[in-house]
Amino acid sequence: MKNAVIGNNKQKANLIVLGAVPRLLYLLQQEASSTELKTECAVVLGSLAMGTENNVKSLLDCHIIPALLQGLLSPDLKFIEACLRCLRTIFTSPVTPEELLYTDATVIPHLMALLSRSRYTQEYICQIFSHCCKGPDHQTILFNHGAVQNIAHLLTSPSYKVRMQALKCFSVLAFENPQVSMTLVNVLVDGELLPQIFVKMLQRDKPIEMQLTSAKCLTYMCRAGAIRTDDSCIVLKLDHDLKHAHELRQAAFKLYASLGANDEDIRKKPILESGAVELLCGLTQSENPALRVNGIWALMNMAFQAEQKIKADILRSLSTEQLFRLLSDSDMNVLMKTLGLLRNLLSTRPHIDKIMSTHGKQIMQAVTLILEGEHSMEVKEQTLCILANIADGTTAKELIMTNDDILQKIKYYMGHSHVKLQLAAMFCISNLIWNEEEGSQERQDKLRDMGIVDILHKLSQSTDSNLCDKAKTALQQYLA
């Protein structure tokens, strides 16, 4: 049977239809069956699982997972490895619910104990963990059962497969998890800290998959504040590799998104010289939300306090059509980072006026749609801050003053219940009425007729000191 099904999906399907699975599971669980027979049954079941997704569904319907988990209690290592290999194949299938690993509370600690048995148990268990860790609840369970301590030493295993699967485990454990990230920083493996080991795994002589995964680990630790973004070993290592290894670019850009936020040299030198703008703009079109976030995040950091040429390169490579597609993205992280990019592009007056002269109509439409839509307070605050930047332009501010709909929205948010939104709206008004700028009197008159001065008087009595001060400063512009 084993020889018949290996590499033959048609034969696998035939055996399943003929009812082989229940019989194999029966023999697997029979105490009277020899260990050799049980092992062969697990091998055949594993081969069946490597077929189509329908094969896996058939195996799940026959309750294969509880049977295989029971098999892990055997004292025989070969049988345990065969069960784990089959479990690995089943859990890596997209049709298998990850929760099946966590149904029985005794399973995770037992798998942790089996990690020390052989390089095969290490490889398969790490692979199972990395595929079944889908969110904070799973991360917490694995973390509380000692995943970090039990898996860390596997990063120095003589087996590449074990090292790779252990690395993947750390990338899923650390993803958006400050608790894990903070713990990883202080873990020692053979006298070396984990971040140093991750950096070594970024070297050019390492396989691309290893470089990519170690870059992910460092990225997540940077985001959590566990690693300083100006850490010299990370900055220098990636700067060197970007010049010499084209393949490393995509692995490293996620990390650059973190590092570029605080390091002007990195943003202008490893990134721009390597043609990153085009690559990052391409990432924003990915179907994977995580890649879209990282692409737009890196562009946002690149645009921060950048010169006009860099901003123009970003806008040209991204295209206004894609920019506005991202502003309507269903993923809130993508939307927030896109707003951040727009805010950074629209900074310093000459840049604001230049961009608004060519893209003003579309940008104002996008701002209107977001302020009218069902969005979070954070999204609307960021959007109002973009309006405040536009209001700081010399010619760009007229796009607001001639748009009564936008002016009414600013007025509405000045009276909002959330202070952050009130402050953001206040910045818009302050930039529009500032006395030292041409046309300020006409703008002041129009806003007074709208009732803005009355709102400013009211806000000057606010219990929030910041809001109160900003309102008083704005009123002084009317009195000057």
Side-chain angles (χ1 to χ4, degrees), residues 20-83:
V21 176
R23 181 65 179 162
L24 288 166
L25 287 173
Y26 172 77
L27 292 171
L28 183 89
Q29 297 175 87
Q30 275 294 94
E31 285 188 21
S33 299
S34 67
T35 305
E36 290 77 15
L37 178 59
K38 290 180 178 180
T39 303
E40 289 297 326
C41 288
V43 170
V44 175
L45 288 165
S47 182
L48 295 175
M50 286 183 181
T52 64
E53 290 183 359
N54 283 333
N55 289 6
V56 178
K57 287 177 183 175
S58 299
L59 293 170
L60 291 172
D61 290 342
C62 292
H63 307 291
I64 189 174
I65 289 180
L68 291 170
L69 291 174
Q70 186 68 27
L72 299 181
L73 300 174
S74 165
D76 187 86
L77 181 57
K78 291 293 180 190
F79 180 47
I80 289 172
E81 288 174 349
C83 289

Side-chain angles (χ1 to χ4, degrees), residues 388-404:
N389 282 18
I390 295 169
D392 193 39
T394 303
T395 56
K397 55 168 49 83
E398 283 309 304
L399 286 164
I400 297 177
M401 290 306 302
T402 55
N403 190 323
D404 289 339

Side-chain angles (χ1 to χ4, degrees), residues 291-458:
L291 286 179
R292 291 203 302 279
V293 168
N294 280 289
I296 201 70
W297 184 28
L299 288 170
M300 179 189 84
N301 290 332
M302 210 183 292
F304 179 67
Q305 293 182 351
E307 58 198 44
Q308 176 66 35
K309 183 185 181 302
I310 295 173
K311 292 182 179 181
D313 285 347
I314 292 171
L315 267 175
R316 186 182 63 254
S317 297
L318 189 62
S319 82
T320 49
E321 291 79 10
Q322 177 61 9
L323 180 65
F324 298 123
R325 269 197 293 272
L326 292 165
L327 286 171
S328 58
D329 200 291
S330 57
D331 187 293
M332 184 182 164
N333 287 326
V334 174
L335 175 56
M336 281 296 286
K337 292 293 184 289
T338 308
L339 289 170
L341 167 63
L342 199 50
R343 187 175 175 183
N344 288 347
L345 289 171
L346 292 165
S347 60
T348 73
R349 283 184 184 173
H351 299 177
I352 294 167
D353 291 332
K354 175 71 175 170
I355 291 170
M356 293 304 290
S357 69
T358 52
H359 305 292
K361 184 180 178 183
Q362 299 100 312
I363 289 172
M364 295 304 284
Q365 284 176 344
V367 166
T368 303
L369 285 171
I370 292 170
L371 290 178
E372 285 178 350
E374 293 294 321
H375 291 290
S376 67
M377 183 278 295
E378 290 83 0
V379 168
K380 296 203 171 183
E381 181 192 17
Q382 187 81 297
T383 307
L384 286 167
C385 288
I386 290 170
L387 268 182
N389 282 18
I390 295 169
D392 193 39
T394 303
T395 56
K397 55 168 49 83
E398 283 309 304
L399 286 164
I400 297 177
M401 290 306 302
T402 55
N403 190 323
D404 289 339
D405 188 23
I406 285 288
L407 289 174
Q408 288 298 332
K409 284 178 172 52
I410 295 171
K411 178 182 176 182
Y412 166 78
Y413 283 108
M414 285 179 75
H416 200 275
S417 58
H418 205 293
V419 173
K420 283 189 175 181
L421 293 177
Q422 288 180 288
L423 281 169
M426 184 75 76
F427 279 122
C428 297
I429 294 299
S430 296
N431 286 340
L432 291 172
I433 63 174
W434 205 252
N435 255 322
E436 297 169 7
E437 293 171 22
E438 188 180 344
S440 61
Q441 188 61 55
E442 291 81 359
R443 290 191 292 275
Q444 285 184 8
D445 291 342
K446 179 169 184 176
L447 292 170
R448 179 190 281 110
D449 292 342
M450 282 179 59
I452 295 296
V453 173
D454 295 335
I455 297 174
L456 288 174
H457 279 295
K458 185 179 178 182

Side-chain angles (χ1 to χ4, degrees), residues 459-479:
L459 293 177
S460 68
Q461 308 300 316
S462 171
T463 54
D464 184 276
S465 58
N466 205 357
L467 194 58
C468 174
D469 290 343
K470 292 286 185 296
K472 286 178 179 176
T473 303
L475 283 170
Q476 285 170 6
Q477 294 301 307
Y478 273 95
L479 300 171

Side-chain angles (χ1 to χ4, degrees), residues 120-314:
Y120 292 112
T121 63
Q122 291 166 351
E123 178 190 339
Y124 302 146
I125 291 170
C126 283
Q127 202 168 356
I128 290 168
F129 284 163
S130 62
H131 275 274
C132 294
C133 187
K134 306 286 187 187
D137 291 344
H138 296 164
Q139 289 171 326
T140 301
I141 292 169
L142 293 173
F143 180 81
N144 289 342
H145 282 99
V148 172
Q149 293 75 13
N150 284 302
I151 296 171
H153 72 279
L154 303 183
L155 291 170
T156 57
S157 166
S159 164
Y160 170 76
K161 287 184 177 179
V162 172
R163 293 199 305 276
M164 197 60 237
Q165 295 305 330
L167 189 58
K168 285 182 178 178
C169 266
F170 282 121
S171 73
V172 296
L173 284 168
F175 178 65
E176 294 184 349
N177 194 312
Q179 182 188 24
V180 174
S181 295
M182 292 296 185
T183 303
L184 294 184
V185 172
N186 300 311
V187 173
L188 280 170
V189 181
D190 294 342
E192 198 167 23
L193 288 169
L194 265 189
Q196 296 296 326
I197 291 175
F198 294 151
V199 169
K200 282 186 175 179
M201 288 177 162
L202 276 171
Q203 289 175 354
R204 287 171 55 210
D205 61 340
K206 300 294 188 293
I208 293 299
E209 183 186 30
M210 180 172 278
Q211 296 178 42
L212 172 62
T213 313
S214 55
K216 279 184 185 177
C217 292
L218 289 165
T219 298
Y220 301 148
M221 293 168 77
C222 275
R223 286 184 188 174
I227 298 178
R228 285 178 52 184
T229 55
D230 59 354
D231 190 297
S232 60
C233 68
I234 297 173
V235 173
L236 293 174
K237 170 68 187 65
L238 291 167
D239 182 52
H240 177 267
D241 274 0
L242 261 190
K243 291 175 183 173
H244 296 91
H246 174 76
E247 296 87 357
L248 184 58
R249 287 177 184 171
Q250 295 193 46
F253 280 147
K254 290 186 178 183
L255 183 55
Y256 285 138
S258 294
L259 300 180
N262 298 323
D263 196 305
E264 185 66 16
D265 289 334
I266 284 183
R267 184 164 56 250
K268 284 186 177 178
K269 192 177 175 184
I271 294 186
L272 292 174
E273 287 179 4
S274 59
V277 173
E278 291 78 10
L279 180 59
L280 293 171
C281 288
L283 284 182
T284 69
Q285 299 183 44
S286 169
E287 291 182 4
N288 184 332
L291 286 179
R292 291 203 302 279
V293 168
N294 280 289
I296 201 70
W297 184 28
L299 288 170
M300 179 189 84
N301 290 332
M302 210 183 292
F304 179 67
Q305 293 182 351
E307 58 198 44
Q308 176 66 35
K309 183 185 181 302
I310 295 173
K311 292 182 179 181
D313 285 347
I314 292 171

